[in-house]
Structures are given as structure tokens and as C-alpha cells.
Amino acid sequence: MRYRRVGRTGMLVSELCLGTNTFGGDGPVWKSLGALEQPAVDAVVAKAVEGGINFIDTADMYAAGQSEECVGRAIRNVGVDRADVVIATKVGGRMAPGVNGTGASRGHMIRALDASLKRLATDYVDLYMVHYFDPATPLEETLRTLDGLVRAGKVRHIGCSNFAAWQVMKGLQVSAREGLERFEVIEANWSAATRGLEREVVPMALDQGVGVLVWGGLVGGLLSGKFNREGGDAGVSRTGGNTPPVLNRDQVFDVVDALRTVAARREASVAQTALAWLLSHKAVTSVLFGARNAEQVADNVKATDVVLQDDDMALIGAAAEPVMDYGLWSVRGSATARLQYV
């Protein structure tokens, strides 16, 4: 396992991160994701730690707080030293019925963090991220509150999730102007089949020293290699084997075909190859993956051993190139010519 810095901080995290939206929960959504009970959670966390993973990502809204509770118990049950694990959690999803039961306002975030710390059974979180951009709350209020939580010792570093590039930049400007803690990482969707992040967010992150924590790298299992155009085992996919409506099904399976070819070259699984493709990008700090059992964890950890060559990256990349609008297309040649000097 290799380790990478989080943004411009000195905190090091494993290049694979254990996602936990498979932990706990009732109802159709959480059951489809995994709804793991504590013994299964303990086994997954133990296997992750054994594989060198020191980074665990959760959120207060995952299974209405049950995921955080499972993470806290697992760390104790497995016998991991709290100082040896980096815990990230997120705030902003709805956690109460009232109008102030969601968002990134001062009141909601302070209440939410205290509740998260109690569920996680810890007195601090290493990375606290705003789950969604809140248009009703000025970023000044959000960042001043987060800065205060860092100064209070309840949070080590801050980040954001699912923000647009301009929203991150606005936040960085506020932090620089007011001397506040800055977003050190953005958690966002990226995969060989979903590459919109490469248009604006990735260049921004590289330029500003903001780390990218990737979610959805296997597109809910569709890039695991267990599906083809004719179908597969719906039980292994969070999407039930169905392509999300925003994606072109044929293009997704063009990517799968390319991944299969490269996987055969590198004697790896298709899922490992899909994760290795992401890990080959300089902007990536860590790639999230979810697991329903220890065997899935062990298989995904092997992605760190897969080394892709330039022709592998080109073959996979050509299957679903990010769509360029006119403005980006018109300057692409000039910009590319200067990349060698970066």
C-alpha cells in the first residue's frame, strides 16, 4: 500500500479508502447497498487494515447515522489504535425534519459534528467535509464555522464533496482572504466511464493543491467485470446491473471491453484495472471503494499492485473521452503544448 498527502497538509492516507455506505441501515436504499451488521463490518474493517488501508470515509446521513456507529465500534472491536486510522465524515445531508436539519449553516454543522463524534466514539475527526454545496448559507459562514471547529480540536482538516470547481475556488478565496482553514480535498465522482470531473475540477485541484478523493470508481459495480451488454449478476451491483440514466449504456460497456483487454495484459481483474486507472492520475489522493465482505476488500487492495502503461491508459481513455464544449475544444491544442513544462 502506498500513501499520499491530503492536499497541502502533512496528513498521509492510503491510496485506497474504505467507503462505508454499505454499513448498517434499513429500507430499500441501504439494503441494496449492503446493510452490513456489526460482525460483517468488523471483518471488512479488519481486512482493510490488514491490507494497509488507514483511511475510512463515512457520513452522518449514511443509514441515518448507523454507518458512523458501525465504524466507531469496528475500530474498537478490531483493536486499531485511533491515532493510526484517518476518519473522514461529512455534514450537510438531512438529519432532522426541520428547516435547519440540513445544510452547511453554523448551527447545523456544530450540532451535526457533536452527534457524529458521539456516534464514532471519538473526540475528533481527521477530515470533515461539507457533503453538498449549500446555496442558502454564505461560504463565509460555513468556513468560519469549520475553522472554529479545527481550532477547538474537534476537526483536523476540512474538505468538500460534490462541489463544482467554481464553488471550491470561491471557498479557497474566502479562506485566503480571512486566514481560515481551507478545503484540502474534494470528494467527487470519477471513473473511466464518468469523466466529467476532468473538464474543470481536476485542473483546478492540480493547480490549487486540493486533493481528489474519488467515489464511484466502479460505477456501482458496472465496471467490476461481472456485467456485459447482455447482463450479469445483478446481486453484485448497487445499480442492479442497470446503467444510470445519465450514462450511455453502450459507452459504459465500451469501457468495460477496454478494461477487459488491459486486465488480461496485466494479469489483473477488471475491477482492479478500473481502480488502477484512477490511481494513475496525479490529481488523485485516494480512491473509495465499498465492500460487502472481506474477500472484496482483499481483491480491491490488489489494485495497488497493477501498473498501467501509457498504451493501457490510452486504450481505456479512448472508450469514453470527456465531452468538450466549444470553449475548451478551441484552446485544447495550445494548452496541451504547454503541459510538458508543468
Side-chain angles (χ1 to χ4, degrees):
M1 182 63 63
R2 293 176 293 269
Y3 301 87
R4 305 183 182 188
R5 290 174 60 201
V6 174
R8 301 193 310 191
T9 78
M11 186 168 68
L12 300 177
V13 295
S14 50
E15 60 183 8
L16 289 179
C17 175
L18 181 63
T20 63
N21 63 7
T22 59
F23 293 2
D26 300 313
V29 173
W30 302 109
K31 288 186 182 300
S32 69
L33 292 174
L36 300 186
E37 296 183 355
Q38 196 64 50
V41 170
D42 292 349
V44 165
V45 171
K47 182 58 69 173
V49 171
E50 179 185 315
I53 292 174
N54 74 338
F55 194 13
I56 300 176
D57 174 84
T58 186
D60 58 2
M61 67 173 287
Y62 291 170
Q66 291 182 41
S67 174
E68 289 182 326
E69 292 174 351
C70 287
V71 169
R73 292 192 197 102
I75 290 172
R76 296 193 303 275
N77 294 347
V78 173
V80 182
D81 189 320
R82 173 66 184 89
D84 291 335
V85 62
V86 174
I87 298 176
T89 194
K90 298 182 284 293
V91 60
R94 179 161 293 285
M95 293 300 291
V99 293
N100 291 311
T102 184
S105 67
R106 176 175 288 111
H108 178 69
M109 287 197 299
I110 290 173
R111 289 191 301 271
L113 178 61
D114 286 343
S116 287
L117 293 176
K118 183 176 181 180
R119 287 189 291 264
L120 288 163
T122 184
D123 56 3
Y124 70 96
V125 292
D126 300 276
L127 179 60
Y128 200 43
M129 292 180 281
V130 182
H131 210 154
Y132 310 101
F133 180 75
D134 178 5
T137 302
L139 271 170
E140 287 83 354
E141 177 180 337
T142 297
L143 286 161
R144 286 174 193 145
T145 304
L146 290 170
D147 184 79
L149 295 174
V150 172
R151 293 176 186 276
K154 295 182 177 183
V155 172
R156 297 291 187 257
H157 302 288
I158 64 172
C160 57
S161 176
N162 304 308
F163 275 39
W166 71 265
Q167 293 164 343
V168 180
M169 283 301 305
K170 184 175 181 179
L172 294 176
Q173 182 183 21
V174 168
S175 294
R177 184 184 70 225
E178 301 199 10
L180 304 172
E181 290 292 318
R182 73 193 289 269
F183 292 140
E184 295 292 354
V185 68
I186 177 172
E187 184 173 324
N189 175 253
W190 195 5
S191 77
T194 54
R195 299 180 57 190
L197 204 71
E198 296 174 39
R199 298 179 64 188
E200 295 285 346
V201 172
V202 170
M204 175 278 299
L206 286 168
D207 181 70
Q208 296 295 312
V210 174
V212 177
L213 175 57
V214 179
W215 68 266
L218 297 180
V219 193
L222 286 175
L223 302 189
S224 67
K226 298 177 181 178
F227 293 88
N228 54 39
R229 287 176 172 81
E230 288 69 46
D233 180 5
V236 303
S237 171
R238 301 182 189 185
T239 67
N242 298 315
T243 309
V246 295
L247 299 181
N248 180 294
R249 182 177 178 82
D250 286 337
Q251 188 174 62
V252 168
F253 287 105
D254 287 344
V255 173
V256 173
D257 290 342
L259 289 170
R260 289 186 196 281
T261 299
V262 174
R265 288 178 186 171
R266 303 301 162 204
E267 299 183 342
S269 72
V270 174
Q272 291 162 5
T273 305
L275 295 175
W277 183 86
L278 286 164
L279 291 173
S280 298
H281 288 82
K282 183 180 179 181
V284 171
T285 295
S286 189
V287 177
L288 279 156
F289 70 88
R292 302 188 190 202
N293 53 60
E295 290 72 26
Q296 289 180 347
V297 176
D299 185 71
N300 286 334
V301 165
K302 293 177 183 177
T304 61
D305 296 326
V306 180
V307 178
L308 301 184
Q309 303 299 323
D310 289 346
D311 58 339
D312 300 325
M313 296 293 290
L315 179 62
I316 296 168
E321 290 190 353
V323 176
M324 290 287 180
D325 63 18
Y326 178 76
L328 292 175
W329 167 82
S330 66
V331 300
R332 189 177 188 183
S334 298
T336 302
R338 300 290 289 177
L339 282 176
Q340 61 181 306
Y341 303 109
V342 174

